Amino acid sequence: TRIYRKLGQPDTCVNCGKSGLTGKKIHWANISGQYKDDTNDWVRLCASCHKRFDMTNELRVKLSEIAKVVFKSRMRNLQGQFI
């Protein structure tokens, strides 16, 4: 991919410090979720840390969406009480 061409093959996870990793055991993980061409938007993570990192971001987005739905529902209920 373009990031591997720019940054090379990582071999050490910056999160847990595992080194000597190759192939599918080490990844370039996108930080912002926007997959920019900016090399500062990528970090070296082992597969395990990458999975936890993505899950954390995914959960944050899902919880945000759930919170919006709950808030809208509560606002509709409150408006109905004051009519």
Side-chain angles (χ1 to χ4, degrees), residues 4 9 14 17 22 24 32 38-40 46-48 52 56 58-59 67 71 79-80:
Y4 281 86
Q9 177 65 40
V14 296
T22 60
K24 294 183 179 184
S32 70
D38 180 3
T39 56
N40 294 316
C46 68
S48 178
R52 281 195 301 270
T56 301
E58 219 174 279
L59 284 174
F71 178 77
Q79 288 173 349

Side-chain angles (χ1 to χ4, degrees), residues 9-52:
Q9 177 65 40
D11 68 352
T12 303
C13 178
V14 296
N15 186 53
C16 69
K18 288 181 189 173
S19 62
L21 300 170
T22 60
K24 294 183 179 184
K25 295 179 183 177
I26 186 82
H27 309 147
W28 282 110
N30 182 254
I31 297 168
S32 70
Q34 296 177 0
Y35 301 92
K36 303 178 217 172
D37 232 3
D38 180 3
T39 56
N40 294 316
D41 193 35
W42 297 85
V43 65
R44 299 178 311 259
L45 294 177
C46 68
S48 178
C49 289
H50 192 178
K51 184 176 180 179
R52 281 195 301 270

